[in-house]
Amino acid sequence: MLLRVSILSTGRWIRVQLEDEYAPIGLVQCVGGVLTLASFQRDFGYGKQDQTRTNALSVGLQQLGAFVGCFLASPIAERYGRKKPLVLFSIVFCIGGVLQTINTGSLTTFYAARVVSGLGLGASTVVVPMFSSEMVPTELRGQIGSFFQLFFTLGIFTSYWIDYGASFIKGKPTIQWQIPIGLQLLPALLLGGGVLTLKESARWLSRKGRHEEAWESLSWIRGDDSRSTIDEMKAIRSGVAAEAQETEGFELKELLHGDYFRRVFAAFCIMAAQQATGATAFAYFGPQYFTLLVGGGQRVLLLTAIFGAVKVAACGAFVLFLANTFSRRQVLIGGAAAMAVCQIATAVVVKIRPAPDDGSVTSSGIVTVALIYLFVAIYNISWGPMPWPYMSEIFPARIREPGIAVGAASQWLFNLLFSLTTPYMMERLGWGTFLVWGVFDVAICVLTFLFLQETKDLSLEAIANQRFDKRV
């Protein structure tokens, strides 16, 4: 599927391409619901005593593959562009998805397949924001970049409801878990096929001296060949010429010095902070978290599915109405503060009124569920969507590709860290898990206020030319 949207901006129609490369991300990660299905536990031969380790490895190993994939993506994208690598990464992901869907009865094989899928997934998260930042007009960059998170949440939303529906399959046959696992192939196939209908990045084509193709790409995505588009093409060619001089003789060790290091470190920290909010851990282990809040039972899958719907609604509202309204700093500082309140309040309620063993409905359970829904809504209008466009826009041309790779790798590194530790946190800390996330959110709020630099409404060239050592 390819969504082509015409947006009226600055007196002209701009055709903005919203690629389906965002779609696979959410669907393939939410294996937590599948791990609660009795049929999966039976076919792979593990019991309750092994659930914590299985949960951690099933999610964490995919993030390990994604972390490695980030470093493979940049050189491939530099040589072959943006389209062909995304097709390749989709194929790699699908190979892993097929191996996961086959009932091998071996957790080792399942784990290995998760790593393979992660390679394709992580590599895509480097190329997608790179592609987006190169093709989207300055005034729409924050909004279009935020679609990354919107499609993430749509995938999560879909997977939650599929898991919930699969839990009603009678007799608990193997197909009960194969349906949700196998359906992750669909958005990946849409990515691989859909990206073939796009034009290659105009900036990348200009860098390779393919100027006629670059003009064709830019005029197609803008939907016209007006004077403003001609001027934009001239600016791109001029910028590319400057970039060629800037990147000549580049060495990776430059990332460790001066202003370049500050930008790379900022990207590393902001993507790490996105994971440290606790929201991604909720996405992966939703059923397990709701068990802490309301006790066991099939309703935890329903609560998790509603959780996914809240994510989609909040992120959609942000992308459509709020993305260009507030500054980057306002969104991120306010979001972290509000999330801290929700998490700490949840910890207090769960500590005072733990979930009953019989799974009965209690007022404290209703309150904590409401707090978590509010938490995830706030995340999806702040730290969910905003880090992706911010990370993609802060680098000058000389270090853009390795810089974005470092930022995306940071996201997957801390994704891996929290994926492996969250099941053990829930098992051993219980209510303290929410307190940990709340303390992290407080720290994120303070550090963002002190150090984050504003980039809203600035061109990539303007951001590159300003020193990255003070707030503006």
Side-chain angles (χ1 to χ4, degrees):
M1 180 180 64
L2 187 64
L3 303 179
R4 191 172 294 169
V5 181
S6 294
I7 301 178
L8 184 61
S9 177
T10 62
R12 61 193 177 93
W13 288 95
I14 302 173
R15 189 166 62 181
V16 178
Q17 203 68 24
L18 306 179
E19 300 89 348
D20 274 315
E21 52 246 43
Y22 310 117
I25 298 173
L27 183 58
V28 301
Q29 291 177 332
C30 295
V31 73
V34 172
L35 299 175
T36 66
L37 298 176
S39 59
F40 185 89
Q41 297 173 10
R42 179 199 64 222
D43 288 345
F44 286 90
Y46 68 94
K48 186 174 181 179
Q49 68 278 8
D50 300 314
Q51 284 182 355
T52 300
R53 183 179 71 250
T54 304
N55 288 344
L57 290 176
S58 295
V59 175
L61 288 174
Q62 179 167 281
Q63 319 320 324
L64 175 62
F67 175 73
V68 175
C70 289
F71 296 102
L72 300 177
S74 185
I76 295 174
E78 167 58 24
R79 180 167 183 177
Y80 297 105
R82 312 315 187 216
K83 289 178 56 176
K84 292 178 182 178
L86 284 173
V87 174
L88 172 63
F89 301 150
S90 298
I91 292 172
V92 171
F93 176 85
C94 286
I95 291 172
V98 169
L99 291 175
Q100 290 174 57
T101 307
I102 297 172
N103 183 15
T104 62
S106 168
L107 278 175
T108 301
T109 302
F110 185 79
Y111 293 154
R114 297 285 291 173
V115 174
V116 173
S117 289
L119 290 171
L121 181 61
S124 296
T125 61
V126 174
V127 180
V128 167
M130 188 185 301
F131 198 179
S132 176
S133 68
E134 291 174 344
M135 294 294 278
V136 172
T138 298
E139 64 271 18
L140 297 176
R141 198 170 57 234
Q143 184 175 34
I144 301 305
S146 297
F147 269 87
F148 198 111
Q149 182 67 20
L150 177 59
F151 279 97
F152 180 99
T153 59
L154 281 171
I156 291 173
F157 168 78
T158 304
S159 69
Y160 285 159
W161 284 99
I162 290 172
D163 291 345
Y164 180 60
S167 70
F168 288 96
I169 297 178
K170 297 185 182 299
K172 297 179 174 51
T174 295
I175 197 173
Q176 184 187 47
W177 63 264
Q178 286 181 320
I179 289 175
I181 290 291
L183 282 176
Q184 68 184 306
L185 296 171
L186 179 59
L189 292 171
L190 289 172
L191 161 62
V195 76
L196 293 175
T197 69
L198 302 176
K199 300 292 185 181
E200 183 56 84
S201 165
R203 286 178 182 267
W204 182 83
L205 289 168
S206 290
R207 286 169 57 184
K208 299 301 179 181
R210 297 158 61 176
H211 300 302
E212 290 186 7
E213 293 178 72
W215 166 246
E216 181 183 351
S217 173
L218 185 66
S219 60
W220 177 80
I221 204 166
R222 296 294 182 264
D224 62 42
D225 55 0
S226 65
R227 170 52 60 183
S228 60
T229 306
I230 294 173
D231 290 342
E232 185 178 0
M233 188 71 253
K234 289 180 179 178
I236 289 175
R237 290 188 62 173
S238 176
V240 164
E243 287 175 8
Q245 292 181 332
E246 290 179 15
T247 57
E248 185 176 0
F250 171 76
E251 298 180 358
L252 285 176
K253 65 182 181 181
E254 295 178 35
L255 299 179
L256 302 177
H257 301 289
D259 191 61
Y260 288 170
F261 174 76
R262 287 189 286 270
R263 293 172 189 268
V264 171
F265 187 64
F268 180 91
C269 290
I270 198 170
M271 299 310 291
Q274 185 192 52
Q275 301 306 303
T277 61
T280 303
F282 273 88
Y284 295 157
F285 302 107
Q288 292 85 343
Y289 268 108
F290 283 109
T291 298
L292 280 178
L293 298 177
V294 301
Q298 193 175 38
R299 64 178 172 166
V300 299
L301 289 177
L302 176 59
L303 291 172
T304 305
I306 297 172
F307 174 86
V310 173
K311 287 172 66 70
V312 171
C315 192
F318 176 84
V319 170
L320 295 176
F321 305 112
L322 302 175
N324 293 321
T325 302
F326 302 101
S327 74
R328 311 290 196 251
R329 281 172 49 81
Q330 289 172 332
V331 167
L332 296 176
I333 295 170
M339 286 189 293
V341 171
C342 292
Q343 291 280 31
I344 294 172
T346 300
V348 171
V349 174
V350 176
K351 169 63 175 176
I352 297 174
R353 296 283 183 89
D357 293 334
D358 60 6
S360 58
V361 177
T362 64
S363 59
S364 59
I366 294 173
V367 169
T368 54
V369 169
L371 284 168
I372 293 305
Y373 287 168
L374 179 60
F375 160 80
V376 77
I378 294 167
Y379 172 81
N380 279 282
I381 61 172
S382 58
W383 280 91
M386 189 54 73
W388 291 105
Y390 185 85
M391 183 264 293
S392 69
E393 67 192 9
I394 63 175
F395 296 109
R398 186 170 182 83
I399 63 168
R400 180 169 297 133
E401 291 184 357
I404 290 176
V406 170
S410 170
Q411 193 262 358
W412 291 115
L413 175 64
F414 285 90
N415 207 316
L416 168 64
L417 173 64
F418 292 124
S419 296
L420 292 175
T421 57
T422 294
Y424 295 98
M425 288 169 60
M426 288 188 289
E427 181 182 46
R428 297 173 185 178
L429 298 180
W431 66 271
T433 306
F434 302 100
L435 182 60
V436 168
W437 297 127
V439 171
F440 282 165
D441 288 330
V442 170
I444 290 167
C445 177
V446 173
L447 294 173
T448 301
F449 175 78
L450 293 176
F451 299 111
L452 190 72
Q453 187 156 326
E454 187 57 65
T455 59
K456 185 178 184 291
D457 295 331
L458 297 176
S459 68
L460 294 180
E461 289 74 21
I463 297 170
N465 290 332
Q466 68 182 16
R467 286 183 57 81
F468 211 75
D469 58 358
K470 56 182 174 57
R471 299 199 308 269
V472 294

